[in-house]
Amino acid sequence: MYVEGVIFDVQRYAIHDGPGIRTNIYLKGCPLRCWWCQNPEGIEQKLQLMYFEFKCLHCHLCASLCPKKAIEIDENDVHIIKREICDGCGICSNQCPSSALKLVGRRISVDHLLEEIKRDTLLYDASGGGVTFTGGEPFFQPEFLKEVLMACKELDIHTAVETSGFVSREILSSLMKDIDLFLHDIKLIEDEEHRIYTGVSNRLILSNIRFLVDSGRRKDIIIRLPVIPTITDTDHNVNGIAEFLASLKLEEIHLLPFHDVKEKYERLGMPYKMTVHSAPSQERMKEIKERFEEIGMKVVLYG
C-alpha cells in the first residue's frame, strides 16, 4: 500500500527526545490550537509559506510568478499573501533570489522517509538511539505513522512518539505496540481551562494516559509539561497534575519552559493569542521541579 505523509522537518543528532542520539521527524497537522505552540508551522497539515520580510529584495518576482495570484504588492510595497488561495506549489519560494519565501512542509512516501531514517542507523546502534515522531501531532496522520512505525520495528529501530494524547482509543490501540516510548504532554488539569487554551477537552487525554498505564506501559511514558507563565505554572495546575501523576505512579516528567515565538506566527500569517512574552523564571522552574520531586518523580529541566 502506498501511503504518503506531510512532514515539515527532519532533525538529526537530537539528544533530548528519547534515549541516545535520535532523528526527529516533524509531522504536520494537529487537532489542538494551543495559544503558546512553539511549532506553529506544524498546526496545519497543508503546505504553507513563511515570509521573512527582512530578507526581501522587493523584486516582485514572486507576485509575477504565482499561478494562483496569491501574492499581491500594495501601494506601500508590502507583500500580501492570500493564504486562503495559496496551494503551496512552491514556485515562488523556489525562485525567490534572497530566500525571503520558504515553503514549509513536504509530501513524502514511507519508503523515502525510511531512506532518510536509515542514514543514521549506525548512530542509533552506537548510542542506543532511534527515531522520534513529533510535530504537530503525529497521530493526526495515523496511516502514515503506522506504516513508518511498523517499518522501523522491522529494522529494530527504537521508536518514540511525542503526543498531546488527543487521539482516539482505536488509533492509539492499533499503533501502541510499535511505539517504544511515549513522550506524553499534560498541559492543564482543569477541563474548562484546557478548552480555553487548547481548543479541546482534556478528558480523552487523561483517559489515554490511564489506558497506557493500565496496559502495562507505565515505564514507557515520560510526561512533558510546558511551563507557561500565568497559565500552566499556577500552583493549582501544578498541584493538580502532581496528584494525577502520583495516582498513576508515573516516574519521569520533563519541564519545558515557554519561549516567545511571535515572529514565527507573523511569518506564517497566523494569529498569536499569547499576551505573555517572557519565559518562566529560573526560580519558578525550580519550585515546580521540587513539587514533582516531592512525589518521587525524576524531573528533567529544559532551557
Side-chain angles (χ1 to χ4, degrees):
M1 179 175 63
Y2 179 83
V3 179
E4 190 178 66
V6 183
I7 66 174
F8 66 93
D9 198 10
V10 175
Q11 181 186 26
R12 314 197 107 85
Y13 312 109
I15 58 172
H16 297 303
D17 300 294
I21 299 173
R22 311 191 67 79
T23 302
N24 287 354
I25 311 296
Y26 290 80
L27 280 73
K28 244 178 155 319
C30 182
L32 276 64
R33 294 295 182 268
C34 303
W35 288 22
W36 54 83
C37 180
Q38 304 288 280
N39 293 326
E41 65 270 47
I43 294 175
E44 300 289 343
Q45 191 171 354
K46 66 180 181 180
L47 277 58
Q48 296 169 281
L49 278 178
M50 290 188 82
Y51 175 50
F52 298 82
E53 186 176 7
F54 70 94
K55 293 183 179 180
C56 185
L57 301 177
H58 297 275
C59 65
H60 303 174
L61 183 62
C62 55
S64 65
L65 288 174
C66 180
K68 294 285 188 178
K69 304 301 179 187
I71 301 177
E72 291 183 353
I73 314 296
D74 72 8
E75 64 275 9
N76 297 313
D77 206 23
V78 174
H79 288 56
I80 300 170
I81 302 174
K82 298 179 179 178
R83 298 181 182 276
E84 69 278 5
I85 61 174
C86 174
D87 63 1
C89 70
I91 292 174
C92 60
S93 57
N94 288 338
Q95 297 298 320
C96 180
S98 62
S99 299
L101 287 168
K102 175 186 176 182
L103 188 64
V104 180
R106 59 183 168 115
R107 297 177 180 88
I108 190 169
S109 69
V110 172
D111 288 342
H112 285 160
L113 182 56
L114 277 176
E115 289 304 312
E116 294 202 31
I117 290 171
K118 286 190 290 186
R119 286 167 49 188
D120 294 332
T121 51
L122 290 178
L123 290 174
Y124 309 152
D125 293 342
S127 69
V131 181
T132 298
F133 298 93
T134 181
E137 169 55 65
F139 286 117
F140 197 72
Q141 300 185 54
E143 290 186 9
F144 180 69
L145 179 61
K146 182 175 183 177
E147 292 295 320
V148 181
L149 284 169
M150 290 173 60
C152 286
K153 298 316 295 178
E154 288 178 4
L155 296 169
D156 199 27
I157 296 174
H158 183 277
T159 58
V161 172
E162 183 176 15
T163 178
S164 68
F166 192 78
V167 54
S168 74
R169 185 63 51 80
E170 179 183 4
I171 291 173
L172 180 60
S173 298
S174 68
L175 273 65
M176 61 186 289
K177 65 181 177 63
D178 291 318
I179 300 171
D180 296 309
L181 176 66
F182 292 87
L183 302 170
H184 203 302
D185 282 6
I186 289 187
K187 300 174 175 70
L188 290 154
I189 199 67
E190 295 291 345
D191 187 60
E192 183 178 351
E193 289 186 345
H194 201 278
R195 289 175 185 272
I196 291 170
Y197 290 109
T198 74
V200 303
S201 169
N202 69 0
R203 292 176 184 173
L204 177 61
I205 294 167
L206 300 182
S207 174
N208 277 336
I209 296 176
R210 288 190 181 276
F211 169 73
L212 289 172
V213 170
D214 292 342
S215 300
R217 303 299 301 270
R218 176 184 287 109
K219 292 186 179 297
D220 303 325
I221 303 170
I222 294 176
I223 296 297
R224 289 191 154 182
L225 170 63
V227 182
I228 316 299
T230 74
I231 299 176
T232 69
D233 76 337
T234 65
D235 287 341
H236 176 73
N237 191 55
V238 171
N239 289 330
I241 291 174
E243 291 171 9
F244 175 74
L245 299 181
S247 72
L248 299 176
K249 297 181 172 60
L250 289 171
E251 298 178 356
E252 185 170 345
I253 185 169
H254 295 175
L255 304 181
L256 312 177
F258 167 75
H259 296 286
D260 190 34
V261 290
K262 183 180 180 181
E263 284 189 359
K264 267 192 181 183
Y265 285 79
E266 292 173 343
R267 290 167 182 166
L268 288 162
M270 298 173 65
Y272 189 57
K273 292 184 176 181
M274 284 297 293
T275 56
V276 175
H277 301 289
S278 58
S281 68
Q282 291 185 355
E283 180 182 359
R284 184 55 181 154
M285 293 292 291
K286 182 174 180 289
E287 290 171 351
I288 296 173
K289 177 177 182 288
E290 290 172 350
R291 177 65 182 96
F292 287 107
E293 287 175 336
E294 287 175 4
I295 62 171
M297 295 191 77
K298 175 184 176 182
V299 184
V300 177
L301 284 177
Y302 285 87

